[in-house]
């Protein structure tokens, strides 16, 4: 796992160095496109047990992470009044910090209580899904990762479609989505 984390750290460093050259425009498009790619990578991480593919997945995920962070921060800085910006980012940071421990607490229970029985049932019924995940102990986490990645992809596509559709006014003229 140490090598995997080192590969991720190198990916984040390379992504940050490349990002320092130029900040992207069209932030919403970038944010949700990155979410789609991240969701696909999380699905891949859930499905695979092949170590080189995991290295690539973690590298790319961490490579695009700084880009997502910059797009998110820039998006909100452009929209929040300067007088409340500090409070907004403090609240946003607190929410981000709360999500990780909650996910850690809930994730194990979900894996054991929900995804393990699903995987067990599907493997007994001869379904194709268990062949993707295998029947080894711990593969319920892979199923959970794939489910979460799939949800991220679906929601990101839905938001992008909504964003593009809302960019048109009643008269049919296109409004810029440079935000």
């Amino acid at each position: 796992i140490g090598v995997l984390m080192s590969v991720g750290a190198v990916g984040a460093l390379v992504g940050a160095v490349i990002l320092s050259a130029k900040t992207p425009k069209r932030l919403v498009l970038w944010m949700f496109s990155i979410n789609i790619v991240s969701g696909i990578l999380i699905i891949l991480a859930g499905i695979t047990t092949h170590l080189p593919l995991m290295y690539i997945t973690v590298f790319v995920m961490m490579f695009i992470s700084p880009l997502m962070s910059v797009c998110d921060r820039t998006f909100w800085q452009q929209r929040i009044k300067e007088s409340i910006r500090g409070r907004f980012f403090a609240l946003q940071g607190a929410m981000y910090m709360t999500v990780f421990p909650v996910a850690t607490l809930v994730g194990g229970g979900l894996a054991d209580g929900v995804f393990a029985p699903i995987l067990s049932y599907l493997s007994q019924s001869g379904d194709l899904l268990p062949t993707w995940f295998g029947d080894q102990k711990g593969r319920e986490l892979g199923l959970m990762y794939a489910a979460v990645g799939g949800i991220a992809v679906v929601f990101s596509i839905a938001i992008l479609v909504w964003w593009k559709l809302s960019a048109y006014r009643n008269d049919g003229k296109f409004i810029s989505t440079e935000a």
Side-chain angles (χ1 to χ4, degrees), residues 67-83:
L67 180 59
M68 179 61 181
S69 181
V70 165
C71 289
D72 176 61
R73 285 289 185 188
T74 305
F75 177 83
W76 290 114
Q77 283 179 349
Q78 290 174 349
R79 280 157 183 73
I80 302 299
K81 286 192 271 184
E82 192 172 343
S83 61

Side-chain angles (χ1 to χ4, degrees), residues 73 76-77 80-81 84-93:
R73 285 289 185 188
W76 290 114
Q77 283 179 349
I80 302 299
K81 286 192 271 184
I84 62 167
R85 200 174 288 160
R87 285 176 276 177
F88 173 81
F89 284 117
L91 177 64
Q92 187 184 46

Side-chain angles (χ1 to χ4, degrees), residues 78-142:
Q78 290 174 349
R79 280 157 183 73
I80 302 299
K81 286 192 271 184
E82 192 172 343
S83 61
I84 62 167
R85 200 174 288 160
R87 285 176 276 177
F88 173 81
F89 284 117
L91 177 64
Q92 187 184 46
M95 290 180 355
Y96 287 162
M97 293 292 190
T98 304
V99 169
F100 184 74
V102 169
T104 303
L105 286 171
V106 172
L110 274 176
D112 292 340
V114 175
F115 290 99
I118 290 172
L119 201 55
S120 174
Y121 172 76
L122 291 175
S123 63
Q124 291 172 0
S125 68
D127 198 270
L128 177 66
L129 193 62
T131 60
W132 290 352
F133 295 98
D135 55 1
Q136 307 97 316
K137 180 144 177 65
R139 292 309 299 153
E140 61 272 2
L141 289 172

Side-chain angles (χ1 to χ4, degrees), residues 15-86:
V17 167
I18 291 174
L19 181 62
S20 69
K22 186 170 173 132
T23 303
K25 305 289 185 240
R26 303 185 67 173
L27 298 172
V28 172
L29 180 63
W30 274 100
M31 281 191 304
F32 289 105
S33 297
I34 292 169
N35 273 348
I36 292 168
V37 171
S38 295
I40 292 168
L41 290 170
I42 291 170
I43 293 169
L44 279 175
I47 291 174
T48 189
T49 57
H50 188 60
L51 202 55
L53 184 57
M54 286 182 140
Y55 289 151
I56 293 168
T57 302
V58 168
F59 180 87
V60 175
M61 186 74 159
M62 294 306 292
F63 177 83
I64 62 177
S65 179
L67 180 59
M68 179 61 181
S69 181
V70 165
C71 289
D72 176 61
R73 285 289 185 188
T74 305
F75 177 83
W76 290 114
Q77 283 179 349
Q78 290 174 349
R79 280 157 183 73
I80 302 299
K81 286 192 271 184
E82 192 172 343
S83 61
I84 62 167
R85 200 174 288 160

